[in-house]
């Protein structure tokens, strides 16, 4: 479940390929693992050089003490009235899995667009994560003809109540449904504020399993699209110290992950916001995803330009598409 391969590229340059099953650890754990590997390399495998940290067991003990009945009630209330899934690709479940390849299409966000998104989020008093989720919800509603949509989101699953949880290595993340509802007269700002309030109310219930949620709703699935906002801390001073101890330097990191859903909106805020659509190649082709990326970019641009615009007036089509439809 964990493999490492060292590829010698030149006398003073190598590439370390680390492959791991996701059950072992999440993205948040990766910088901690990197630091440990460097320190172990510098000490020739002497584990006494590693800092003492709490184990995953402490997190499991915390979970065992939670009020699971209250959590179940909170999710039942959040999803009350949802009687069918929000599927953007309803035929994907039966698609022939001819390939397991994962494709990527990056959204064309320039420096000014990114600054505009950060500024707008700050002005509205919402997180950039909420802004991205809200934009996707509006687009998903337009594409499916719905005013009440559900998509998935990956949460860190690291409760602050667990001491030193940020330095633990393990699989903490959880995938949970995000429900967004609106009327055509609601403004984009209204949608974002409502979304953030609902998400904040569920913070203490991020440990609930998706299987249990499915069982409670009576649905085998609730969504086929996912939003992932990668925003975990990286202790760069610790990594620099570990580099020094090892006598080597990391010159670059290229993470690569798969997706269990036909389409995933991937957001990364280090050092600045970047967005890309990750898709399963046996379900979607690149031109289709490029169209979706363009539409999401347009929704974000309208949100930056004027968040008071009613959702019913948000434009997702490019001029040529609109001309084709109307003329």
């Amino acid at each position: 479940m964990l493999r490492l391969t060292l590829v010698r590229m030149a006398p003073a340059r190598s590439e370390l390929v680390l492959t791991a099953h996701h059950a072992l650890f999440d993205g948040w754990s990766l910088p901690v693992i990197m630091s440990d590997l460097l320190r172990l390399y510098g000490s020739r495998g002497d584990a006494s050089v590693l800092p003492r940290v709490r184990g995953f067991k402490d997190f499991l003990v915390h979970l065992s003490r939670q009020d699971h009945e209250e959590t179940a009630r909170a999710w039942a209330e959040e999803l009350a009235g949802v009687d069918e899934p929000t599927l953007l690709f309803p035929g994907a479940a039966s698609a022939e899995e001819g390939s397991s390849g994962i494709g990527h299409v990056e959204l064309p966000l320039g420096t000014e667009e990114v600054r505009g998104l950060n500024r707008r989020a700050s002005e509205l008093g919402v997180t950039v994560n909420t802004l991205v989720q809200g934009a996707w919800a509006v687009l998903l509603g337009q594409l499916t003809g719905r005013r009440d949509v559900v998509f998935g989101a990956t949460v860190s699953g690291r409760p602050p109540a667990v001491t030193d949880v940020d330095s633990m290595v393990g699989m903490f993340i959880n995938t949970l449904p995000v429900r967004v509802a609106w009327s055509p007269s609601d403004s984009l700002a209204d949608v974002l504020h409502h979304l953030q309030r609902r998400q904040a109310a569920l913070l203490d219930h991020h440990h609930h399993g998706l299987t249990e949620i499915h069982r409670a709703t009576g649905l085998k699935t609730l969504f086929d699209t996912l939003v992932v906002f990668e925003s975990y801390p990286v202790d760069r001073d610790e990594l620099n110290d570990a580099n020094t101890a090892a006598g080597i330097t990391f010159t670059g990191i290229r993470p690569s992950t798969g997706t269990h859903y036909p389409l995933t909106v991937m957001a990364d805020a280090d050092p600045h916001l970047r967005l890309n659509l990750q898709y399963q190649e046996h379900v979607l082709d690149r031109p289709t995803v490029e169209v979706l990326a363009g539409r999401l970019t347009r929704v974000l641009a309208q949100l930056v330009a004027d968040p008071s615009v009613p959702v019913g007036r948000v434009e997702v089509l490019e001029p040529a598409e609109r001309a084709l439809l109307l003329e």
Side-chain angles (χ1 to χ4, degrees):
M1 293 175 71
L2 177 67
R3 300 191 301 275
L4 295 104
T5 303
L6 186 68
V7 184
R8 183 78 68 184
M9 309 298 290
R13 179 172 174 267
S14 297
E15 297 224 356
L16 177 66
V17 183
L18 187 155
T19 307
H21 193 291
H22 216 332
L24 295 182
F25 56 81
D26 51 24
W28 189 306
S29 304
L30 194 56
V32 182
I33 292 172
M34 287 171 51
S35 177
D36 285 353
L37 284 174
L38 285 166
R39 292 194 179 280
L40 284 169
Y41 185 86
S43 70
R44 297 182 178 274
D46 181 3
S48 67
V49 303
L50 299 181
R52 296 178 65 87
V53 296
R54 292 175 178 268
F56 194 72
K57 177 183 176 182
D58 290 357
F59 169 69
L60 297 178
V61 170
H62 169 79
L63 284 187
S64 69
R65 295 171 176 166
Q66 302 311 297
D67 187 340
H68 296 286
E69 290 184 2
E70 173 60 27
T71 289
R73 284 194 294 270
W75 279 108
E77 181 179 340
E78 173 66 11
L79 298 173
V82 175
D83 54 9
E84 63 179 352
T86 302
L87 300 180
L88 190 54
F89 313 104
S94 59
E96 193 76 30
E97 291 203 20
S99 167
S100 59
I102 303 296
H104 301 265
V105 172
E106 190 161 348
L107 269 67
L109 296 176
T111 303
E112 288 304 313
E113 288 87 350
V114 169
R115 287 175 180 167
L117 289 169
N118 288 327
R119 183 176 63 252
R120 185 60 74 192
S122 178
E123 291 171 353
L124 293 173
V126 301
T127 65
V128 178
N129 182 25
T130 295
L131 190 147
V132 172
Q133 287 188 353
W136 178 247
V138 170
L139 176 58
L140 187 59
Q142 292 269 22
L143 295 173
T144 59
R146 301 167 65 112
R147 300 176 187 172
D148 187 348
V149 299
V150 179
F151 56 90
T154 300
V155 296
S156 72
R158 293 177 183 251
V162 179
T163 305
D164 296 331
V165 70
D166 58 329
S167 62
M168 292 181 182
V169 171
M171 181 58 176
F172 293 85
I173 62 171
N174 194 17
T175 298
L176 295 168
V178 177
R179 184 183 187 182
V180 187
W182 64 86
S183 68
S185 60
D186 288 341
S187 69
L188 289 171
D190 292 335
V191 172
L192 294 179
H193 287 141
H194 186 55
L195 169 60
Q196 181 144 307
R197 283 195 301 271
R198 292 178 74 154
Q199 290 299 293
L202 291 167
L203 280 175
D204 291 336
H205 307 292
H206 278 183
H207 57 275
H208 204 43
L210 187 58
T211 300
E212 285 80 2
I213 294 175
H214 284 162
R215 188 179 298 119
T217 60
L219 299 172
K220 292 183 178 180
T221 185
L222 286 165
F223 50 82
D224 64 354
T225 63
L226 187 71
V227 176
V228 177
F229 197 98
E230 293 187 332
S231 180
Y232 45 80
V234 178
D235 189 340
R236 300 192 185 281
D237 290 337
E238 164 60 22
L239 282 176
N240 288 335
D241 289 345
N243 274 327
T244 302
I248 58 177
T249 302
F250 272 109
T251 58
I253 302 170
R254 298 188 305 274
S256 176
T257 58
T259 177
H260 296 290
Y261 296 91
L263 187 71
T264 299
V265 181
M266 299 289 298
D268 172 22
D270 185 19
H272 52 77
L273 181 65
R274 293 175 298 180
L275 289 167
N276 76 81
L277 300 185
Q278 189 180 99
Y279 63 97
Q280 294 180 330
E281 293 179 333
H282 70 276
V283 177
L284 297 165
D285 56 37
R286 186 175 182 86
T288 298
V289 180
E290 287 175 341
V291 170
L292 293 174
R295 290 174 175 170
L296 182 55
T297 302
R298 275 188 288 281
V299 174
L300 290 168
Q302 290 168 85
L303 202 158
V304 170
D306 185 5
S308 67
V309 170
V311 178
R313 290 178 53 197
V314 172
E315 181 59 78
V316 301
L317 301 179
E318 64 180 26
E321 290 177 314
R322 177 159 289 281
L324 179 66
L325 285 172
L326 299 180
E327 301 172 21

